Amino acid sequence: MGLSGKHQEAPSRFFGAFVRLGFSPRRVQNALILAGVGALYALETQTLGLFVPCPFHLITGLKCPACGITTAILALLHGDAGAAFAANPGLAVSLPVLGPYLAWLFWGWLRECPARGRAVNAVGTGLIVYFAVWGVWRNLAPLLGFV
């Protein structure tokens, strides 16, 4: 026995606004679930202080390009840009390009119309190269006496 009448219309009214924007209701639902999981993780790290460790750092003892992102995001949520920069300077420097790029990709994903073209490829390739160089530099700089 399924839902009927008023109860069945509520989800469609909620997703109707997203459909008018051209978004896929299924993808909006997935994005909301992911945002909820992210919010629960942020709450858990703040209340219990438990962080998911970086597997690359556990195995090699080196910092990957993403090490410190959780700390940086939590610092930004608290309005502490200095602590966010200290946690992962490479991420902070990349945000003016990375933020709009990820928003562009996310918008296309929600609309089931993936971003394509030379600009998408060029920015994506540039970010991959940047983070690869950042990953090497953040481990070599202390050895070379730069930090």
Side-chain angles (χ1 to χ4, degrees):
M1 195 158 173
L3 296 174
S4 62
K6 192 163 98 173
H7 298 291
Q8 189 175 17
E9 294 172 12
S12 64
R13 279 187 297 170
F14 174 75
F15 288 114
F18 295 109
V19 170
R20 283 191 292 280
L21 289 171
F23 295 163
S24 161
R26 165 76 79 199
R27 292 202 173 173
V28 170
Q29 182 181 20
N30 291 342
L32 290 173
I33 290 170
L34 184 61
V37 169
L40 287 174
Y41 178 67
L43 179 66
E44 179 270 329
T45 57
Q46 293 298 295
T47 56
L48 301 177
L50 300 174
F51 290 86
V52 175
C54 173
F56 182 80
H57 184 69
L58 285 174
I59 294 169
T60 66
L62 300 171
K63 291 181 178 179
C64 77
C67 279
I69 284 182
T70 301
T71 305
I73 290 171
L74 292 173
L76 285 176
L77 290 175
H78 287 284
D80 191 352
F85 185 82
N88 191 328
L91 175 67
V93 169
S94 74
L95 280 179
V97 175
L98 182 63
Y101 180 71
L102 291 178
W104 185 16
L105 293 179
F106 184 65
W107 183 268
W109 178 79
L110 284 173
R111 295 176 58 98
E112 292 186 345
C113 180
R116 294 188 176 128
R118 289 183 178 173
V120 175
N121 293 340
V123 173
T125 302
L127 285 167
I128 289 169
V129 169
Y130 169 77
F131 281 111
V133 169
W134 164 241
V136 171
W137 175 253
R138 78 182 308 188
N139 290 296
L140 282 181
L143 298 174
L144 299 174
F146 288 107
V147 177

